[in-house]
Every structure is written in structure tokens, then in C-alpha cells.
Amino acid sequence: MAELRTAHYAPLTARKMREASLRFLDSLTDKQRDVATFEFPGDERYQWHYTPVDRNGLRLKDMIPLQRVHALELMASGLSVRGLDQATQIIDLEETLHVWEHMQDVATRWS
């Protein structure tokens, strides 16, 4: 039964994601848009890692505040409440990790 409820909301979710993605992309400079986007047929969309690996994309810290708001709205548009909460907690932990690495005098390229 849950699958039927989910399928029922798919068109609405897709519309919200499209609108959020357009707001996000419209907020970027041409240079940022080149970094933040890639061709759909490629393999980049399969590269999902949380661990520190080389990756493409535009980092949140390289965005101005309004762009970050739009990026997070885009993320929120495709996640459940629980998924958004978990993703937000992970993002928030980045600052804790940064402080810890600084205290440990651990130089990383990820911070």
C-alpha cells in the first residue's frame, strides 16, 4: 500500500524538484553552473559517496548564502522528512569535523 501512496505523489514531487532545480540553477553564475551540472547520459550521476573522495560538483562553501538556500531547497524537494533531517544533520557535522581536524592539526583538502 505504501508504494501506491508514493506513486500518487510522484508527479507533485517531480514538479517541486523541477521548480527547485530551476531556482537553484538560475541563482548560479555561468562558471558555477558549469561546475554544478553534467550531462545526464554520463556516469557522474552514479558517483554517490559521503566519504572524502575526489568528486565533481559545486561545494556549499563555494556558494553565496542565497545559492545555498536554493541548493538545500532542491535537496529537500526530493527527500522525505526523515531523509532531510538525516542529510541536514550530516551537513551540520561538517563544521564539527572541521573544528576537530583543526584541533588535531590535520590538514585535509575537504575542509
Side-chain angles (χ1 to χ4, degrees), residues 19-31:
E19 292 167 358
S21 68
L22 292 175
R23 279 192 304 275
F24 172 64
L25 291 173
D26 287 346
S27 74
L28 301 178
T29 66
D30 290 340
K31 184 177 178 181

Side-chain angles (χ1 to χ4, degrees), residues 98-111:
H98 176 72
V99 169
W100 181 85
E101 288 172 340
H102 182 72
M103 289 171 39
Q104 301 299 315
D105 198 26
V106 176
T108 67
R109 59 183 172 177
W110 315 110
S111 51

Side-chain angles (χ1 to χ4, degrees), residues 12-22 74 77-79:
L12 176 62
T13 300
R15 188 168 41 258
K16 287 180 178 180
M17 290 178 78
R18 179 183 182 279
E19 292 167 358
S21 68
L22 292 175
L74 173 56
S77 71
L79 294 175

Side-chain angles (χ1 to χ4, degrees), residues 24-25 28 32-39 44 56-58:
F24 172 64
L25 291 173
L28 301 178
Q32 288 174 314
R33 195 174 299 110
D34 288 343
V35 173
T37 60
F38 55 87
E39 294 295 322
E44 184 63 29
N56 295 319
L58 184 61

Side-chain angles (χ1 to χ4, degrees), residues 37-55:
T37 60
F38 55 87
E39 294 295 322
F40 187 77
D43 290 337
E44 184 63 29
R45 61 192 168 112
Y46 298 109
Q47 302 302 317
W48 287 80
H49 302 279
Y50 181 70
T51 56
V53 298
D54 286 327
R55 66 182 82 226

